[in-house]
Amino acid sequence: PPLEVQRISSRPLENAQDIGVRPFSPATQLVWLYLLYSNESKVQSDIARALQFTEAQVSVAVTLLEQLAFVHRTKDGIDKLD
């Protein structure tokens, strides 16, 4: 099912290294920027299509962004990233 992502923070966590976060890949950076400037929830497949990425690339990026509390993933019949 699709995931919807919503940006919830524009500030990096101060303890990112404490939770073992690796540097953002270029794909993760683009997903974050796309969400940051779109200002609305997005379905993961729409993010992949807009950025010409695979859904797997978007999933990896979103997982990292979710660990950092930059995005929130929700399911409303379909998975949504908030």
Side-chain angles (χ1 to χ4, degrees):
L3 296 174
E4 187 175 307
V5 182
Q6 179 184 11
R7 176 182 57 86
I8 59 174
S9 174
S10 59
R11 214 177 46 153
L13 292 180
E14 294 174 5
N15 66 344
Q17 291 182 348
D18 295 339
I19 62 172
V21 174
R22 61 192 181 279
F24 280 11
S25 69
T28 302
Q29 292 174 34
L30 286 173
V31 168
W32 173 238
L33 289 170
Y34 179 75
L35 291 169
L36 182 65
Y37 288 104
S38 68
N39 272 334
E40 60 185 37
S41 297
K42 296 290 182 180
V43 176
Q44 185 169 317
S45 60
D46 291 343
I47 297 168
R49 189 172 18 265
L51 298 177
Q52 298 181 358
F53 289 159
T54 65
E55 287 192 40
Q57 288 173 301
V58 173
S59 179
V60 169
V62 167
T63 298
L64 176 58
L65 293 170
E66 190 174 33
Q67 289 173 347
L68 292 169
F70 283 172
V71 299
H72 178 69
R73 205 182 305 224
T74 60
K75 276 188 178 182
D76 291 331
I78 60 171
D79 289 339
K80 296 182 178 182
L81 297 169
D82 296 324

